[in-house]
């Protein structure tokens, strides 16, 4: 039996409604892409959707094909009240650790939203902010706002990794997007560590013969 191209998991407005009931109507969804990759940035998007509680086709980006993500990301940008995307590059990741760098990029993205959000829903990202925050796990599959953010983060990061593939040929960044695929591990052994690899991550650090970072294993 043929499978529908549309994922069965449908987000809703449940988490946003909790904020709306308290008078916070500009609710930003926040999500990231690339936390587990060995190379390239971690990318965070923040999106405020109109608070009309209408249904959208937005879904967790991991449930969609690349073509579906591009179409829906364009719709997010078209309908959003405000949106922003920020990167934390390997130097920042190695300096702060991956969680700290993700938080830093998220805060930069939120600071760019105009109008500013009154509350947040994140995918289990417990940011230190001075507005109400909901951070449920799997929020990218449950919340329209977070699903919208996941689409922008994933498509923008994929674009960056395609550019890095051209700048650093041989690593296959355009295919595995910097994640720990066997082809990536083989390329690292053959070509060595590039300037866009995360030196604090264990497989990269092992090739460099470097000690573990002070904040522990970042992978």
């Amino acid at each position: 039996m043929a499978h529908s191209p549309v994922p069965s998991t449908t987000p809703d407005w449940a988490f946003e409604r909790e904020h709306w009931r308290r008078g916070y109507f500009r609710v930003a969804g926040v999500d990231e892409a690339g936390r587990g990759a060995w190379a390239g940035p971690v990318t965070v998007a923040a999106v405020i959707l109109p608070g009309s509680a209408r249904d959208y086709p937005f879904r967790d980006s991991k449930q969609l094909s690349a073509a579906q993500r591009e179409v829906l990301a364009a719709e997010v940008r078209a309908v959003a009240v405000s949106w922003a995307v920020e990167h934390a590059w390997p130097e920042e990741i190695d300096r702060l650790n991956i969680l700290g760098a993700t938080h830093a990029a998220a805060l930069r993205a939120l600071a760019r939203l105009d109008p500013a959000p009154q509350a947040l829903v994140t995918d289990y990202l417990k940011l230190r902010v001075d507005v109400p925050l909901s951070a449920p796990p799997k929020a990218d599959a449950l919340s329209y706002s977070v699903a919208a953010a996941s689409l922008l983060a994933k498509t923008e990061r994929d674009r960056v990794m395609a550019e890095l593939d051209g700048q650093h040929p041989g690593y296959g960044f355009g295919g595995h997007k910097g994640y720990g695929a066997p082809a990536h591990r083989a390329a690292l052994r053959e070509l060595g560590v590039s300037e866009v690899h995360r030196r604090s991550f264990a497989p990269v650090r092992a090739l460099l013969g470097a000690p573990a970072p002070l904040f522990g294993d970042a992978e």
Side-chain angles (χ1 to χ4, degrees):
M1 184 173 64
H3 293 282
S4 168
V6 179
S8 58
T9 302
T10 304
D12 59 29
W13 296 104
F15 296 107
E16 289 87 347
R17 280 196 176 98
E18 288 301 313
H19 294 302
W20 296 345
R21 290 189 187 105
R22 299 171 60 193
Y24 305 116
F25 296 105
R26 293 195 305 273
V27 180
V30 179
D31 199 20
E32 50 74 28
R35 270 178 67 171
W38 298 354
V42 61
T43 302
V44 184
V47 178
I48 301 175
L49 293 175
S52 58
R54 60 162 283 193
D55 290 336
Y56 288 104
F58 308 148
R59 301 291 185 269
D60 171 12
S61 63
K62 295 186 294 296
Q63 299 179 356
L64 302 168
S65 69
Q68 289 173 320
R69 288 194 293 264
E70 290 293 343
V71 169
L72 292 177
E75 184 169 345
V76 171
R77 291 189 290 268
V79 304
V81 173
S82 183
W83 63 271
V85 179
E86 284 284 334
H87 304 290
W89 290 88
E91 183 279 330
E92 186 174 18
I93 293 169
D94 293 339
R95 178 166 48 86
L96 298 179
N97 79 29
I98 184 59
L99 182 59
T102 303
H103 280 230
L107 294 177
R108 289 195 293 269
L110 289 167
R112 288 178 50 207
L113 294 180
D114 185 14
Q118 297 170 315
L120 307 179
V121 182
T122 75
D123 186 13
Y124 207 60
L125 195 61
K126 298 179 180 180
L127 301 171
R128 294 182 179 178
V129 290
D130 58 2
V131 297
L133 168 70
S134 301
K138 308 298 184 184
D140 48 1
L142 302 173
S143 157
Y144 276 125
S145 300
V146 182
S150 80
L151 289 163
L152 295 192
K154 174 62 174 169
T155 54
E156 177 62 13
R157 186 177 188 277
D158 283 358
R159 183 192 65 76
V160 167
M161 296 310 295
E163 290 182 356
L164 293 179
D165 196 9
Q167 296 168 12
H168 302 275
Y171 290 98
F173 291 145
H176 53 65
K177 305 299 189 295
Y179 284 89
H184 190 185
R185 190 182 294 271
L188 270 170
R189 288 173 178 155
E190 179 181 352
L191 301 174
V193 177
S194 78
E195 65 183 18
V196 295
H197 278 94
R198 303 173 184 179
R199 284 158 168 74
S200 55
F201 275 45
V204 181
R205 195 175 66 239
L207 282 174
L208 293 169
L214 293 177
F215 48 75
D217 195 339
E219 187 188 11

